[in-house]
Amino acid sequence: MKFSRSDFPPGFRFAAATSSYQIEGHGFGGAGRTHWDTFAATPGNVVRAEHGMTACDHYHRWEEDLDLMQAMGLDAYRFSTSWARVMPEGRGPVNAEGLDFYDRLVDGMLDRGLAPMATLYHWELPAALADLGGWRNPDISHWLADFATVVMERIGDRVFSVAPINEPWCVAWLSHFLGLQAPGLRDISAAAHAMHHVLTAHGRCVQAMRALNVKNIGAVCNFEHVHAADDSLEAQRAAATYEATYNRFFVGGLFRGSYPDEVMEGIEPYMPKGWQDDFDLIGQPLDWFGINYYTCKRIAPDSGAWPSLQEVPGPLPKTQMGWEIEPDGLEYILTWLQQNYTGALPVYITENGMANADTLGRPDTERMDYLDSHLAAARRAIDRGVPLAGYTFWSLMDNYEWSLGYEKRFGMVHVDFETLERTPKASYHAVAEALRR
Ligand code: FCB
């Protein structure tokens, strides 16, 4: 690979990311059922109805997985805590075994010189809470803050950083408007409620963690570089609506105390009562901001109901997900956010990587090129004044890619889902070498 650790400022942190449901194995250790289990059990939602009962069996193999990151020379590990593992019903009784697991995991990271970067919620809502309306229910902000309190009372003294929620857009829009992830709703009212509640839950969690004196609290959102499919006014308008929903809604709430007009045009009639009064709660001061970036999108108008748009294919090379590879988009997003929202706040790339149809015995050069070109884009953003403090690869190992099951391989470590054997790919070795330079 072309990049070297020495290309980046001193103290810059290189990390790998995973999430609990995607790797741990929710059939183990007394974890409660999640809405991903019920979603996957419903035909048509997930490729081959695959689920996370065993996943990568990280619950039992976590030491080996941490060893792999240490041997690679990483500085940090971005992991998440499963709500249903810690509180099987989402509220009330705590599963001691679940809490012990994260306690051991954090100590294991520290023993290996890996800074623990925690995410509290990476999508596996306890099924018992989904039955109460999940993200549509305004009480979820209190439920999540209670979960945050239970987890941080145990590990909050040792984590390097924490973010309440991974990717609000996926939690709310992808899952309640587009229906592509659990709970699989396609309903504008559900979506409007979830869009707002995901931010009130973020705010209440931050408050709860500040009360416990937890340090280095941030937020993690996902972004795409949005292009209008052509020069027409209609295409520009469609692209602006898409971009507002995806890129500007959540940072609007977090940093500006307002939501973009293009989104309110569609969802305002469906917003929860009193939403205008929640921006003080939502806009809690943050210590850092995390950016997940994978791809760009081309948007054209269509004649359907609001938002009256469609995604159209673009010309760039694509990953196994069918996502176009556009590293310049990462530079654009980083500088655009810094200039318009985050200012002097330290930012981290909290996810970036690609799925590839990897087979053992063939080097994953596509992934090496992807990582190299995105790291070069990150480097350019630093040169343009973005206070970028770290870069996180998605993902350490092949895992459960949600509705696409186990087919899409994002890992730098190959996982054989029959034997659960881990085998570092060529990209793993190449990154390890680059980090030594
Ligand atoms: C992100 C998710 C992560 C993984 C990658 C490919 O949106 O945070 O869990 O699915 O995409």
Side-chain angles (χ1 to χ4, degrees), residues 303-325:
S303 53
W306 183 90
S308 319
L309 56 82
Q310 56 179 313
E311 296 175 17
V312 295
L316 298 175
K318 297 177 187 60
T319 71
Q320 192 192 16
M321 299 289 274
W323 295 348
E324 279 186 275
I325 302 176

Side-chain angles (χ1 to χ4, degrees), residues 22 122-123 166-167 170 292 294 323 351 394 401-402 410:
Q22 293 178 277
H122 198 127
W123 306 357
N166 179 65
E167 300 186 346
C170 293
N292 294 356
Y294 290 93
W323 295 348
E351 282 180 33
W394 183 273
E401 182 43 38
W402 308 111
F410 271 93

Side-chain angles (χ1 to χ4, degrees), residues 138-372:
D139 291 344
I140 197 160
S141 71
H142 297 281
W143 302 336
L144 190 71
D146 290 346
F147 165 60
T149 302
V150 168
V151 172
M152 286 299 138
E153 273 175 344
R154 187 67 175 270
I155 63 172
D157 56 334
R158 280 158 293 149
V159 292
F160 165 73
S161 68
V162 56
I165 294 165
N166 179 65
E167 300 186 346
W169 181 86
C170 293
V171 173
W173 200 252
L174 186 65
S175 311
H176 295 81
F177 190 79
L178 301 177
L180 296 174
Q181 298 208 332
L185 297 178
R186 290 171 55 76
D187 184 281
I188 196 166
S189 172
H193 284 70
M195 292 287 269
H196 187 62
H197 293 154
V198 74
L199 288 175
T200 53
H202 158 87
R204 217 172 291 284
C205 258
V206 174
Q207 281 182 335
M209 293 193 288
R210 295 268 183 231
L212 293 174
N213 210 18
V214 174
K215 300 281 184 310
N216 212 14
I217 300 176
V220 172
C221 295
N222 50 325
F223 299 89
E224 290 180 345
H225 190 200
V226 181
H227 305 280
D230 57 51
D231 292 340
S232 67
L233 208 60
E234 293 74 23
Q236 314 258 351
R237 203 173 290 141
T241 303
Y242 183 93
E243 198 254 356
T245 311
Y246 206 111
N247 289 348
R248 283 191 273 123
F249 185 87
F250 302 101
V251 286
L254 294 171
F255 295 105
R256 290 191 174 170
S258 67
Y259 294 143
D261 294 342
E262 296 95 327
V263 185
M264 295 326 279
E265 183 194 324
I267 70 172
E268 185 158 6
Y270 309 99
M271 288 293 277
K273 240 186 155 157
W275 62 273
Q276 297 92 338
D277 305 329
D278 288 332
F279 288 109
D280 285 347
L281 173 64
I282 291 170
Q284 300 294 309
L286 297 177
D287 303 308
W288 58 273
F289 186 67
I291 294 151
N292 294 356
Y293 174 84
Y294 290 93
T295 188
C296 60
K297 282 283 159 60
R298 326 241 163 212
I299 305 298
D302 83 5
S303 53
W306 183 90
S308 319
L309 56 82
Q310 56 179 313
E311 296 175 17
V312 295
L316 298 175
K318 297 177 187 60
T319 71
Q320 192 192 16
M321 299 289 274
W323 295 348
E324 279 186 275
I325 302 176
E326 197 205 33
D328 288 349
L330 176 61
E331 180 184 350
Y332 170 81
I333 291 292
L334 286 166
T335 48
W336 167 76
L337 279 168
Q338 192 258 324
Q339 285 160 16
N340 294 284
Y341 297 92
T342 55
L345 202 63
V347 295
Y348 289 83
I349 293 164
T350 32
E351 282 180 33
N352 179 237
M354 75 178 286
N356 197 38
D358 300 313
T359 48
L360 285 177
R362 193 191 144 268
D364 54 337
T365 48
E366 299 87 349
R367 180 169 293 103
M368 296 188 231
D369 292 344
Y370 182 100
L371 296 177
D372 247 339

